[in-house]
Amino acid sequence: MASAQIIDGKAFAANVREKVAAHVARLKEVHHITPGLAVVLVGEDPASEVYVRSKGKQTVEVGMKSVEHKLPEQTSETELLALLDQLNADPSIHGILVQLPLPKHLNEDLVINRIDPAKDVDGFHISNVGRLATGQKAMVPCTPLGCLMMLREQHGSLAGLNAVVVGRSNIVGKPMAQLLLRDSCTVTIAHSRTKDIEEICRRADIVVAAVGRPQMVHGDWIKPGATVIDVGINRIDAPEKGAGKTRLVGDVDFDSAAQVAGAITPVPGGVGPMTIACLLANTLTACCRSHGLPEPDGLTA
Ligand code: GUN
């Protein structure tokens, strides 16, 4: 029996989208500006195609302009960089996202760093990484931003709380740690090689699991009452559902952790829906900044 509050990421994301849509409507009415997001997909990875379609649909639903560039697998680096230069120069585009992973012949770092940092709604450009780390205004990666929003809603101020981030990826773990530090948490980054990881997690008021290992964080790693944010999305065999069936699980063993935690995000339906909602929030923020207008309340780091 779960005793933790289950954080409803789907409802939270819907609320973020509503706030974005309301702000977009005002921008259009008062300033005659429509935020625009360009998504670039190279090749035909089926999972990426699903994400890109979903991004485009939600962008339009909040009243923004959505542009999709689908390029063939064999696209050269020169061609891709030329497209980014064109999008960088296009005043109707405020956000640019290059869907990852890219085909192997393309240099991801080179491509990401060609995006105008002011339009880098993924927050992956080296200048945004540096800005986040030094406390300057940055574009912040969407998934950690979504986690931060949920944590602020749960706790109000995060100042002084012990936070453990399990995982050290550039996309989630490292920026998550930076954001928690900016909100005055005492932050520990744990990872696959960390000694006494259970002990370290047991001291945490906040655990963010983003390590990519199914159900690694168990209930007995969790301090009673702690908030647990599960970023993992792993597909595992589910023989109980029938031969050959699978199911999605997080990096947290939900059933045991939910007995101890104060609040916990489920998988699916927790952090997942927040990522695209935060992409829309970032596009709106980029648009406001580019026009020198006030940033939307509650939608930025
Ligand atoms: N592929 C998987 N996640 C992401 C993401 O957050 N941004 C981009 N650009 N590609 C991804």
Side-chain angles (χ1 to χ4, degrees):
M1 259 279 288
S3 64
Q5 178 200 336
I6 314 292
I7 299 172
D8 184 347
K10 236 171 118 174
F12 205 111
N15 186 262
V16 169
R17 287 195 302 270
E18 267 174 41
K19 282 189 194 161
V20 171
H23 203 104
V24 169
R26 266 198 313 281
L27 273 184
K28 285 183 178 173
E29 199 179 306
V30 180
H31 300 282
H32 309 289
I33 297 167
T34 303
L37 172 65
V39 174
V40 180
L41 173 63
V42 186
E44 279 155 20
D45 177 57
S48 290
E49 285 189 344
V50 172
Y51 283 129
V52 167
R53 214 173 308 128
S54 190
K55 285 168 186 168
K57 181 165 167 278
Q58 293 189 36
T59 303
V60 171
E61 279 168 3
V62 296
M64 296 184 184
K65 167 173 145 163
S66 165
V67 179
E68 274 176 35
H69 289 271
K70 289 194 174 181
L71 308 180
E73 181 86 23
Q74 324 76 271
T75 301
S76 72
E77 212 159 72
T78 312
E79 288 170 309
L80 179 54
L81 295 177
L83 171 61
L84 293 176
D85 289 344
Q86 180 197 318
L87 294 170
N88 284 340
D90 183 342
S92 76
I93 296 298
H94 306 92
I96 302 170
L97 178 147
V98 176
Q99 185 66 31
L100 302 177
L102 287 170
K104 293 216 175 358
H105 66 281
L106 298 169
N107 179 336
E108 250 170 42
D109 283 335
L110 188 73
V111 170
I112 295 299
N113 289 319
R114 187 70 160 239
I115 299 170
D116 177 349
K119 297 190 179 188
D120 168 36
V121 283
D122 259 329
F124 295 165
H125 191 291
I126 197 75
S127 122
N128 280 315
V129 176
R131 285 171 158 273
L132 175 60
T134 52
Q136 299 174 67
K137 213 168 247 193
M139 295 307 303
V140 173
C142 303
T143 300
L145 177 59
C147 297
L148 182 75
M149 285 183 189
M150 294 196 282
L151 286 166
R152 283 176 172 169
E153 168 83 10
Q154 199 65 32
H155 289 266
S157 168
L158 305 181
L161 296 178
N162 283 330
V164 173
V165 178
V166 187
R168 53 177 157 175
S169 71
N170 291 333
I171 294 184
V172 183
K174 285 180 204 161
M176 186 77 248
Q178 292 290 0
L179 287 171
L180 291 165
L181 189 58
R182 255 170 55 152
D183 269 28
S184 300
C185 290
T186 302
V187 182
T188 304
I189 303 178
H191 46 79
S192 54
R193 306 286 295 270
T194 297
K195 286 185 192 153
D196 302 326
I197 193 165
E198 296 92 333
E199 263 313 306
I200 289 167
C201 286
R202 265 195 291 271
R203 289 201 288 268
D205 305 302
I206 291 168
V207 176
V208 179
V211 71
R213 291 200 185 180
Q215 301 171 306
M216 176 170 133
V217 177
H218 270 261
D220 59 4
W221 297 25
I222 304 296
K223 174 163 121 177
T227 301
V228 178
I229 304 289
D230 190 352
V231 182
I233 302 177
N234 311 285
R235 193 165 278 289
I236 62 166
D237 291 338
E240 73 280 4
K241 286 168 69 176
K245 297 282 187 196
T246 61
R247 67 185 175 106
L248 285 182
V249 298
D251 293 349
V252 176
D253 180 49
F254 182 84
D255 290 342
S256 63
Q259 292 187 33
V260 188
I264 186 168
T265 60
V267 176
V271 174
M274 287 296 286
T275 298
I276 296 181
C278 287
L279 172 68
L280 304 176
N282 273 351
T283 304
L284 172 59
T285 299
C287 176
C288 291
R289 285 180 185 167
S290 79
H291 286 92
L293 295 168
E295 292 176 16
D297 270 346
L299 296 175
T300 56

